[in-house]
Amino acid sequence: MVTLVASEELPGCGTQINFKMKKIGILTSGGDCGGLNAAVRSIFFRAKNTYGMEVLGIQDGTVGLMQRPVAFLPLDYQTFSGSLLRQGGTFLGTTNKGNPFKFPMPDGSYKDRTQDIIDGYHELGLEGLIVIGGDGSMSILTEIAKRGNLNIVAIPKTIDNDVGATESSIGFNTAVSVATQALDNLQSTAASHNRTMILEVMGRDAGHIAINAGIAGGADVILIPEINYSINGIVNKLTEMKNRGIVHSLMVVAEAVKTENGKTYEIEFADGQKRLGGIGSYLSEEIMKKTDVECRVTSLGHVQRGAPPTPRDRILASAFGVYAVDLLANYKFDRMVAWKDRKVVDVAISEGISTYKVVDRTDPLIETALALGVYVGDID
Ligand code: F6P
């Protein structure tokens, strides 16, 4: 899809006029992940090479647009002459705190900062903005765009891969690769010591990382929040293995898995914020209470987010970036790019947000895991 100009017939005068978008912005929002820099790079090249646009990189997500002067980096060919494509994180900065509708102020109060964001966009003279974010960031930016007439297009990114209407989001493949590598490393030490190694992976409400890495890394037990499990079920699996003479094993658990009686495991931080974490230790305790199995726990955490992007994520980010610029250039706003059947397509942002994607019981990967003899929970 390449159109250099959008045209419109002026009502009543029959004259065809051409508009050409001259200046666009990019921001990364929410938790970082592998592939963000690759996406920004791709957006820049498409915008500059194909459409001659000026491209500004907004710093620290929406926070950059709130600041005065607005915090941005003018992007040029020099910006991308180094190794950015290969680097994790986002050189523009991002934030997953501070909802702009209720933004925490230094005096402890909360303020609606959305008008500052809207003003920031207009002060920079932006005609379009590409938002690289997850479902939370997309909802916030969609609402702000509606209030302030901002022209936005979204690119889905999240290691959790839970954005709807797209088969893949940027960052997911990198996280799966890191988790698989961790299982590869844990296998040898599990075998050396005859232990059960429990790997806790991220995934706030969805088990995509756990099921994918678990299969790729040869796990014997994979627990995801979408499927109920029991400690007895795990113990039976370990006993079955022991009866076959196999006394070491690998277990993957998604951080959002609850205890057997439904308690969410969270760690309270000094600032009062609660974050998921600890289910791996709970499982270890419970298994060791009921068996003579020796467990050890590894909580993988943010290495899944900060790792250099895999080739797959670099490719996805590059394809998404090109398509997102084409959407803006064609004056197609409020659209999200999506990956479907090996093609980039676009859907309404609202569709991406409203169709939150979890691991479905009918997902072929569940059947695959079961066929491999993996315990994935108490499935009838
Ligand atoms: O949503 C992405 C994610 O990495 C989750 O998997 C995880 O629970 C959360 O973000 C961690 O957030 P933070 O960076 O605030 O610790």
Side-chain angles (χ1 to χ4, degrees), residues 143-354:
E143 183 52 36
I144 296 173
K146 215 184 292 164
R147 290 188 190 184
N149 273 325
L150 318 189
N151 301 326
I152 64 163
V153 159
I155 296 181
K157 68 85 223 169
T158 162
I159 64 163
D160 297 350
N161 207 32
D162 52 5
V163 172
T166 181
E167 286 161 11
S168 295
S169 291
I170 298 173
F172 171 62
N173 187 262
T174 302
V176 170
S177 165
V178 172
T180 303
Q181 175 78 59
L183 287 168
D184 290 348
N185 294 352
L186 289 171
Q187 200 280 330
S188 56
T189 175
S192 305
H193 287 267
N194 292 337
R195 283 174 173 161
T196 291
M197 305 303 285
I198 302 174
L199 179 70
E200 184 177 311
V201 298
M202 281 186 166
R204 210 191 305 256
D205 298 299
H208 297 287
I209 298 176
I211 191 75
N212 280 269
I215 290 174
D220 306 291
V221 175
I222 303 173
L223 302 182
I224 58 174
E226 295 88 342
I227 298 180
N228 290 332
Y229 71 96
S230 59
I231 299 294
N232 279 344
I234 300 171
V235 168
N236 289 344
K237 171 67 190 172
L238 300 181
T239 309
E240 177 196 298
M241 290 175 71
K242 190 176 175 184
N243 291 341
R244 290 184 182 146
I246 304 163
V247 287
H248 68 273
S249 56
L250 293 176
M251 191 179 304
V252 188
V253 58
E255 61 180 358
V257 167
K258 296 189 166 76
T259 63
E260 226 183 351
N261 48 23
K263 179 177 172 273
T264 300
Y265 251 86
E266 284 176 323
I267 298 166
E268 183 157 351
F269 285 63
D271 61 1
Q273 296 274 331
K274 287 185 178 167
R275 294 207 165 75
L276 290 170
I279 187 67
S281 303
Y282 161 81
L283 292 169
S284 164
E285 284 275 314
E286 295 304 311
I287 294 165
M288 287 176 73
K289 268 189 231 162
K290 291 198 170 183
T291 63
D292 59 356
V293 171
E294 197 184 5
C295 296
R296 291 290 186 274
V297 182
T298 302
S299 181
L300 209 44
H302 292 79
V303 291
Q304 295 158 98
R305 294 240 303 256
T310 57
R312 163 90 192 142
D313 265 333
R314 297 180 202 186
I315 293 163
L316 186 70
S318 301
F320 275 175
V322 168
Y323 197 101
V325 175
D326 288 349
L327 286 172
L328 276 189
N330 283 282
Y331 286 67
K332 284 183 86 184
F333 307 132
D334 302 319
R335 307 294 295 172
M336 180 189 92
V337 300
W339 188 256
K340 195 166 185 292
D341 301 331
R342 216 183 159 273
K343 280 196 191 73
V344 185
V345 296
D346 59 283
V347 298
I349 295 180
S350 56
E351 198 184 326
I353 300 166
S354 62

